[in-house]
Structures are given as C-alpha cells and as structure tokens.
C-alpha cells in the first residue's frame, strides 16, 4: 500500500468519527508531520508512512520537538494501529 492510500484511509476514518483533520505543511520548516487532528480540545500530529517504512531522522526530531511542547505527536505505518490510537485519544 502506498503512503497516500494509507493517509486517505486514515482521513476517511477521522471524518466518519468527527475528528477534524488537516494536511499540515510548513514550507520553511522541513520534517513536520503530515496531519494535524483535533477533537474535544485534544490535538494530535501524525506522521504517516507507507507500511514497513519509518520516519527519517529529521521527522523523528520534529515529532520529539512537538512532544516536548506538550502536544501529542506520533508516526504510523499501519491502518489498524492508527485507528486504535485515534480511538484511544479521541473517542
């Protein structure tokens, strides 16, 4: 499965479950997570990778920076793991 296909499935799940999600990019700052997700006053940044793939060192560094600020940040490369985490955090 391609990364874009996995991301589309996760976005569809979010929309079906009332989780607001936006594509996140920062043109002058590389390595930020793909998506920001929100519901019930909670915010999550999620880096989505193709199955079997892992984030780059820069992406891991940015995830760490976000977590240090007190905001949830994760990476996922599996639909079911992503859904489980979204359910845990938002539902």
């Amino acid at each position: 499965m391609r990364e874009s296909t996995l991301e589309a499935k996760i976005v569809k799940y979010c929309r079906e479950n009332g989780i607001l999600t936006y594509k996140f990019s920062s043109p002058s700052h590389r390595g930020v997570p793909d998506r920001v997700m929100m519901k019930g006053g909670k915010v999550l940044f999620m880096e989505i990778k193709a199955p079997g793939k892992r984030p780059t060192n820069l992406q891991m560094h940015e995830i760490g920076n976000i977590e240090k600020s007190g905001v949830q940040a994760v990476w996922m490369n599996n639909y079911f793991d992503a859904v489980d985490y979204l359910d845990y955090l938002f539902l």
Side-chain angles (χ1 to χ4, degrees):
M1 177 184 307
R2 296 176 54 192
E3 182 176 313
S4 60
T5 304
L6 178 57
E7 184 173 349
K9 286 179 68 172
I10 292 169
V11 167
K12 182 177 186 274
Y13 179 84
C14 287
R15 290 184 178 146
E16 290 172 349
N17 289 278
I19 301 167
L20 182 62
T21 183
Y22 294 117
K23 183 76 171 171
F24 181 64
S25 67
S26 181
S28 63
H29 198 90
R30 295 179 54 221
V32 296
D34 297 309
R35 288 269 161 191
V36 59
M37 299 157 172
M38 299 159 274
K39 184 176 180 178
K42 297 176 184 173
V43 177
L44 171 68
F45 287 86
M46 184 181 288
E47 174 62 31
I48 301 168
K49 304 305 284 183
K53 301 291 183 178
R54 297 181 54 86
T56 65
N57 289 337
L58 178 60
Q59 290 168 326
M60 289 302 295
H61 177 76
E62 291 305 321
I63 288 170
N65 283 342
I66 292 167
E67 289 178 328
K68 286 177 190 171
S69 77
V71 177
Q72 296 274 335
V74 297
W75 68 273
M76 296 287 166
N77 65 0
N78 177 288
Y79 175 76
F80 297 105
D81 291 343
V83 165
D84 285 347
Y85 194 84
L86 291 167
D87 287 351
Y88 161 76
L89 188 61
F90 294 121
L91 302 181

